[in-house]
Amino acid sequence: MALDTQVNGNGNGGNGESTVPTGKAPESQGRLIWGRFLGNRIAVTSGVLVVVIILFAISAIGLGPIPGWWKYSYTELNPQVNNGAPTLSLIPTWLGGSGITLGDHPFGQNRIGKDYFAMTMRGVQNSALVMVVLGGIASIVGVVVGAVAGYYRGRVDAILMRITDVFIVIPALVVGSVVGYFAGNLGAFLLALMLGFFSWMGIARLVRGEFLSLRERPFVEAARVAGASDRRIIFKHILPNAMGVVIVSSTLIMASAILLETALSFLGFGIRAPDVSLGLLISSNQSAFQTRPWLFWWPGFFIVALALLVNFVGDGLRDAFDPRHRRFKLRMMQEQLLEPGEDRE
């Protein structure tokens, strides 16, 4: 029977080790986290749906010079069909409907005849682009600032955290409005890039806290004794052990990025015509809420769906990296469901 040794600190040492007799090879930390995540059906389903929605939007109207399978463009003017109402029907004929049909314009048309399905898919593309770019830039900047502050401490930590405090007290919507005013008409990518440099503060604080704890571990001391440079210790030894916080925080920032872009576009400071975003679609048609409500149904549905699904993925990742958090929530729910006087086991 083999003795498997479990070592904390991403294989670089730890605060102790225990030997447990088992009959199989030990699983890596990554596989354990991945297994716990796959065990969360809501998170896995949400992740799959996010990918499906984004791929569907890309394949429908194409990306850049690559055309899609949908016959209309989001900039093309067309004759009004069915008075602009959606031609999509999901009601069977035996219930009085026209059966399952798509028609020429399943999501309807706006007031000047543009196909609303193509416009909505373009809005989904831009929202997904903002989500990924903003989350990536915020994560990179936040990790670097938090890692340097937490590792070096002292004066470096004080300076970087005071800079973080200055950025964090400014409302995100105000900063986004200023950035969007100058970068909104230049495209979704540049807007997301600029917003990412003003959204890193939360990740920086969390990474700093993790580094303050991890830098005192024995595997860090062992790396110093072995002659490893500060850069190698930060990015090769400590950062891999803080990736749980980084990944979860990045996912939650992506969810908030969708809502931030929507709010900015609705206020007129985000993506602007002739390009399309989900928030811009709602803003452009707010006067027709009572007469043409379908102009709000579809962009509103995808805004809520993307934000909720990404949040579910973030919750699943948090439970996977820290299973104690999930057990705590389950215990709290069980205690609330128990009647007074019942035994709590």
Side-chain angles (χ1 to χ4, degrees):
M1 184 175 295
L3 292 179
D4 295 330
T5 303
Q6 297 177 348
V7 182
N8 294 329
N10 197 38
N12 298 310
N15 56 359
E17 59 183 27
S18 61
T19 57
V20 181
T22 62
K24 60 179 180 179
E27 289 188 275
S28 64
Q29 184 182 9
R31 287 190 176 184
L32 290 173
I33 294 172
W34 181 244
R36 287 196 292 263
F37 178 76
L38 292 180
N40 191 326
R41 296 181 180 179
I42 296 178
V44 173
T45 303
S46 300
V48 171
L49 288 177
V50 169
V51 174
V52 168
I53 291 174
I54 295 175
L55 292 180
F56 180 78
I58 294 175
S59 66
I61 62 172
L63 187 64
I66 304 175
W69 50 264
W70 187 241
K71 55 186 175 181
Y72 296 113
S73 168
Y74 67 93
T75 58
E76 180 183 357
L77 297 179
N78 306 285
Q80 288 281 350
V81 177
N82 195 26
N83 198 28
T87 58
L88 174 67
S89 177
L90 300 176
I91 303 176
T93 54
W94 57 274
L95 288 179
S98 58
I100 301 177
T101 57
L102 291 178
D104 289 334
H105 304 283
F107 285 10
Q109 297 171 275
N110 65 0
R111 288 168 294 181
I112 59 177
K114 291 184 178 181
D115 179 69
Y116 216 60
F117 175 80
M119 298 180 73
T120 304
M121 293 300 102
R122 177 61 178 176
V124 171
Q125 286 186 4
N126 281 332
S127 294
L129 179 62
V130 170
M131 175 182 70
V132 174
V133 174
L134 191 154
I137 296 297
S139 299
I140 294 173
V141 177
V143 165
V144 172
V145 173
V148 172
Y151 181 78
Y152 288 106
R153 299 188 301 182
R155 183 176 298 179
V156 174
D157 180 27
I159 294 174
L160 291 178
M161 286 301 101
R162 297 300 76 76
I163 295 174
T164 303
D165 292 338
V166 171
F167 278 92
I168 207 170
V169 297
I170 304 175
L173 196 59
V174 174
V175 174
S177 299
V178 175
V179 172
Y181 178 80
F182 293 101
N185 60 344
L186 300 178
F189 179 81
L190 186 58
L191 175 65
L193 188 68
M194 296 299 296
L195 290 176
F197 287 104
F198 294 93
S199 306
W200 51 267
M201 294 78 71
I203 292 183
R205 282 181 169 274
L206 292 172
V207 172
R208 171 184 174 269
E210 287 292 309
F211 267 68
L212 287 174
S213 173
L214 292 172
R215 74 184 303 277
E216 305 299 334
R217 297 288 181 88
F219 69 89
V220 177
E221 292 296 332
R224 290 197 187 101
V225 172
S229 62
D230 290 344
R231 178 180 178 182
R232 181 174 180 83
I233 293 174
I234 291 174
F235 293 104
K236 295 292 184 180
H237 295 276
I238 303 181
L239 183 58
N241 291 280
M243 284 306 296
V245 171
V246 175
I247 293 174
V248 174
S249 301
S250 300
T251 307
L252 298 179
I253 282 183
M254 289 180 181
S256 63
I258 298 174
L259 301 179
L260 178 60
E261 182 276 325
T262 299
L264 292 177
S265 297
F266 181 81
L267 295 174
F269 295 110
I271 299 172
R272 304 173 195 172
D275 208 347
V276 177
S277 75
L278 297 177
L280 183 60
L281 290 178
I282 295 178
S283 176
S284 302
N285 299 289
Q286 57 181 325
S287 61
F289 178 75
Q290 295 182 342
T291 57
R292 293 171 173 248
W294 59 85
L295 299 178
F296 295 83
W297 294 345
W298 306 114
F301 167 78
F302 283 103
I303 290 171
V304 174
L306 286 173
L308 282 178
L309 291 174
V310 175
N311 266 310
F312 287 148
V313 174
D315 287 340
L317 288 171
R318 180 178 57 191
D319 293 339
F321 279 99
D322 187 7
R324 295 172 299 176
H325 182 270
R326 185 175 184 180
R327 289 199 295 268
F328 176 76
K329 290 192 298 183
L330 290 175
R331 171 180 281 185
M332 292 292 293
M333 293 176 61
Q334 291 171 355
E335 290 181 351
Q336 292 174 0
L337 291 175
L338 287 175
E339 296 292 337
E342 291 184 8
D343 293 334
R344 289 179 168 86
E345 299 180 356

